[in-house]
Amino acid sequence: MDIRNCKRCNRLFQYNGIKYCPKCVLELDEMFIKVRDYLYENKNANIAEVSEATGVEEKVILEFLRDGRLELREPSLDLTCERCDKPITSGRMCKDCLALFERIMKKDINESARTVENLKRDAGRVHLVDYIRKKQD
Ligand SMILES: [Zn+2]
Ligand SMILES: [Zn+2]
């Protein structure tokens, strides 16, 4: 059994792939709905305004945005790219950095695919050598 501390209230709970305990998950869901509804009605509100109107802490709202559950209407200085500090509307990185990141990831994948291909080819060669050797015996 995997027991962890809740990232929010620090209470121990049985970990099930979510970093919060069941009680916090419920509370966060309620807050999420409040914030989402408020943003729906007040599309241009900034995080401080949303926090004041809903009573939800700014850092919780930020986390919803970082997780991509919420999106701001306009890029905001409240939420900036973790790589280049450009204002964004949701997530952790701006579109440019995300594209760059994806390119690097893809390159890595291609490279490891090539390594696997090479290994396969080498493996094939070994088989062939064995085969020839067997034939000679
Ligand atoms: Zn908790
Ligand atoms: Zn960026």
Side-chain angles (χ1 to χ4, degrees):
M1 203 155 58
D2 193 357
I3 300 288
R4 295 196 188 185
N5 286 93
C6 171
K7 279 272 182 286
R8 187 161 168 266
C9 69
N10 224 22
R11 215 174 5 222
L12 289 169
F13 73 109
Q14 195 185 328
Y15 184 70
N16 55 356
I18 303 166
K19 56 190 172 183
Y20 305 113
C21 69
K23 190 167 168 280
C24 285
V25 167
L26 276 180
E27 284 177 17
L28 283 166
D29 269 350
E30 269 169 37
M31 289 188 225
F32 174 73
I33 290 165
K34 258 194 235 173
V35 171
R36 188 196 56 193
D37 287 352
Y38 183 80
L39 267 176
Y40 188 76
E41 300 285 329
N42 306 271
K43 290 186 164 64
N44 293 317
N46 63 35
I47 293 179
E49 286 165 350
V50 177
S51 172
E52 211 180 292
T54 58
V56 177
E57 283 172 86
E58 286 187 33
K59 67 167 201 247
V60 174
I61 300 172
L62 260 177
E63 187 138 342
F64 290 150
L65 290 163
R66 287 282 186 214
D67 285 347
R69 289 178 83 181
L70 278 181
E71 196 175 348
L72 294 170
R73 189 181 154 97
E74 298 285 340
S76 161
L77 278 175
D78 291 337
L79 188 74
T80 53
C81 171
E82 284 182 354
R83 195 172 159 271
C84 71
D85 277 337
K86 202 154 71 181
I88 53 176
T89 58
S90 181
R92 298 188 176 272
M93 282 191 273
C94 71
K95 283 192 180 68
D96 294 340
C97 290
L98 215 55
L100 188 77
F101 187 70
E102 271 170 11
R103 227 170 17 237
I104 292 168
M105 290 292 288
K106 223 179 259 168
K107 196 170 152 266
D108 271 359
I109 289 164
N110 282 343
E111 246 148 50
S112 42
R114 213 172 297 142
T115 310
V116 169
E117 275 305 307
N118 284 340
L119 283 175
K120 268 196 217 152
R121 209 182 306 139
D122 287 346
R125 212 173 284 147
V126 170
H127 274 297
L128 199 63
V129 169
D130 279 348
Y131 180 74
I132 293 166
R133 211 176 274 153
K134 256 177 216 148
K135 278 227 143 183
Q136 283 171 341
D137 286 344

